[in-house]
Amino acid sequence: MAHLELAGIQQRYGTHVVVDDVSFAIETGSIACLLGPSGCGKTTLLRCIAGFEPVVAGAIHLEGETVSRAGFTRAPERRRIGMVFQDYALFPHLTVAGNIAFGLTANAGEREQRVAALLETVGLAGQGEKYPHELSGGQQQRVALARALAPKPELILLDEPFSNLDVDLRERLSLEVREILKREGMTAVLVTHDQNEAFAMADEIGVMANGRIQQWDTPYRLYHEPANRFVADFVGQGVFLPGQVLSAHEVEVELGVLHSAVPLECSQGCLACGRDCGVEVLLRPDDIVHDDASTLSAEVILKAFRGADILYTLRLDSGASALSLVPSHHNHAIGERIGIRLDVDHVVAFKTETRQFVSGRGPQVVPVSFRR
Ligand SMILES: Nc1ncnc2c1ncn2[C@@H]1O[C@H](COP(=O)(O)OP(=O)(O)OP(=O)(O)O)[C@@H](O)[C@H]1O
Ligand SMILES: [Mg+2]
């Protein structure tokens, strides 16, 4: 049985539908993430799960029990859910230990033990007597997590927990928090608009846009097998090059013909027909490899040095741009032509007319996805 299950959840403010027909299920011990642009409904959905918002339609089940449906909302304090808010809202007049113990009802001895154990868990052993203002942002964040874990909730909800921190700390803390949640066997739902954070922390990710889940999948599949244009654009970098379907197993782009072991298909059944079907092929920066021996070349128009790699923006002969990720000892200047070749594992293509996906919410075209 799923730990948390949402079935057809809708929530709106007045006539503005903010969460629309959202369904997913999370197993016990799994860390899920809702990833999407600002305003897409992530916080609203989290508040529905916590019981701070009613739902207009659908149902939320916690360990098989219905906790929300139209006309019924079980109170947040009766859900055994811990929540970490974006601003972590520690009580400034309480010590670290006081903050962590705040929601605990056990006797003094047990409280003290639990607080000490949690301080140890979040790497702050011996710092219980400090006040929040004596801690760094990352340390305060860990206190907020310890406070949410203290009453041993069954499910923990984290709303943009690292958004106030700098990039390095964010990355380190997201891995640390993942470790802590896994060690404690917690089920968790994290909300973020930062894809790296989602990738670092989550077992499964739901990409949201306009109140709807666009794809619920593993990080790997979201990146390599995006279900629609929105997900392909939002997750990871890349460009779309115009392509032509040559046969059930072949798509041609400017840089060559991509061969597929699996026949191409789409919801309209026409990608495989070979009849002049126009598609847009997604090429990630790691799909275009720098190779001096290649007969193909392109001009470097931008370069971003990243330490281990350089991300080159290239101008192809047609004038289209493409990205190529290259080990940084291949240091080329802007204006130089460099040899390139395709090294594509999964190819993802969308029929050309699906461009207006986000506003349209129209029929979703199943992407062409295959291995070479
Ligand atoms: N209390 C409210 N009353 C009216 N509209 C609201 C309310 N809360 C949120 N909204 C609207 O609902 C939509 C979704 O808001 P929500 O806070 O869920 O987005 P979000 O995905 O969490 O965004 P962000 O990444 O910026 O935090 C927004 O258009 C917002 O303006
Ligand atoms: Mg939000």
Side-chain angles (χ1 to χ4, degrees), residues 3 5 12 53 63 138 159 174 189 199 229 273 331 333 356:
H3 189 153
E5 189 182 352
R12 54 179 184 237
E53 296 278 351
E63 300 195 299
D159 191 357
S174 51
V189 183
F199 281 1
R229 276 285 306 223
C273 69
N331 190 14
Q356 71 292 24

Side-chain angles (χ1 to χ4, degrees), residues 39 41-44 86 159-160 191:
K42 304 180 297 293
T43 294
T44 305
Q86 178 171 341
D159 191 357
E160 307 262 7
V191 157

Side-chain angles (χ1 to χ4, degrees), residues 126-272:
Q127 309 216 38
E129 294 317 306
K130 288 192 174 166
Y131 283 86
H133 72 269
E134 299 175 282
L135 302 179
S136 71
Q139 289 170 329
Q140 291 184 38
Q141 187 59 56
R142 281 182 270 169
V143 176
L145 180 68
R147 184 176 61 180
L149 290 172
K152 300 195 173 161
E154 284 163 5
L155 175 69
I156 193 155
L157 307 177
L158 305 119
D159 191 357
E160 307 262 7
F162 311 117
S163 58
N164 294 335
L165 309 175
D166 65 53
V167 177
D168 279 353
L169 191 58
R170 251 176 125 118
E171 223 173 279
R172 191 157 50 81
L173 210 59
S174 51
L175 289 172
E176 259 180 56
V177 169
R178 181 182 161 87
E179 265 305 299
I180 294 169
L181 295 174
K182 287 291 173 192
R183 215 181 310 139
E184 299 270 306
M186 299 287 310
T187 311
V189 183
L190 165 83
V191 157
T192 181
H193 56 261
D194 180 331
Q195 147 204 323
N196 292 327
E197 202 168 294
F199 281 1
M201 276 199 67
D203 299 311
E204 47 193 325
I205 297 174
V207 176
M208 278 184 85
N210 296 336
R212 284 178 170 256
I213 302 280
Q214 305 295 329
Q215 185 173 359
W216 189 279
D217 230 321
T218 59
Y220 183 90
R221 285 176 54 105
L222 283 178
Y223 185 81
H224 288 291
E225 297 171 41
N228 58 44
R229 276 285 306 223
F230 177 81
V231 177
D233 268 334
F234 192 72
V235 175
Q237 289 180 295
V239 296
F240 288 92
L241 286 188
Q244 207 68 24
V245 175
L246 300 180
S247 73
H249 293 268
E250 287 175 315
V251 178
E252 182 170 29
V253 292
E254 182 180 350
L255 297 172
V257 176
L258 301 164
H259 299 272
S260 159
V262 182
L264 314 181
E265 53 177 85
C266 81
S267 59
Q268 289 158 29
C270 53
L271 281 190

